[in-house]
Amino acid sequence: MKKRLFVSYSRKDFELVDEFVESTEHFDFNVWIDKRDQEYGKKWRDSLTHAIDESDGAILFVTINSLNSRAVKELEIPQFLEQKDTRGEDFKLYIVILDYVPEKLLEEFKTEQGEYIFK
């Protein structure tokens, strides 16, 4: 059975991320991306939370836009870290940096233990 990965990104970067998502049919995993896979009529936040819980991991596309996105900062990244704490190696987090992000912005993201996420 193919692994299922949640795709985290800013809607402002959808064109960049969409090219990757389209190519995943050739990979040995499936992706869940809200623009394509969210069930119609289901609350967006609930849908994201459920998709993360049901995934084997996540791909976090890092841009200035994504790190300034409330959804990514306040919902997705904390849930990824919670899944890593709960499931350990059974939840993989892949970080893909798509453009230059100032180090000062990256330093804002820490785990509860004070470890930097992007270092």
Side-chain angles (χ1 to χ4, degrees), residues 10 12-13 62-70 72 99 105:
S10 166
K12 293 177 182 176
D13 301 321
V62 177
T63 64
I64 290 175
N65 293 328
S66 66
L67 296 183
N68 285 317
S69 162
R70 285 185 62 203
V72 173
D99 67 3
L105 181 58

Side-chain angles (χ1 to χ4, degrees), residues 12-93:
K12 293 177 182 176
D13 301 321
F14 181 72
E15 288 184 21
L16 292 170
V17 173
D18 188 49
E19 187 174 328
F20 169 79
V21 169
E22 291 299 318
S23 70
T24 59
E25 65 186 43
H26 306 292
F27 299 155
D28 196 26
F29 58 85
N30 294 318
V31 295
W32 188 98
I33 187 166
D34 62 347
K35 252 187 139 125
R36 180 189 70 195
D37 298 316
Q38 181 179 353
E39 293 179 42
Y40 180 75
K42 193 170 184 182
K43 290 186 177 181
W44 175 80
R45 182 178 287 274
D46 294 342
S47 185
L48 290 183
T49 300
H50 179 73
I52 293 169
D53 289 345
E54 296 297 314
S55 294
D56 298 299
I59 304 170
L60 172 58
F61 287 98
V62 177
T63 64
I64 290 175
N65 293 328
S66 66
L67 296 183
N68 285 317
S69 162
R70 285 185 62 203
V72 173
K73 283 173 38 174
E74 296 174 14
L75 174 69
E76 295 172 5
I77 290 176
Q79 282 218 284
F80 299 156
L81 297 176
E82 181 181 315
Q83 291 295 325
K84 286 292 294 170
D85 285 346
T86 305
R87 295 164 51 189
E89 288 301 311
D90 290 336
F91 187 87
K92 303 290 186 190
L93 178 57

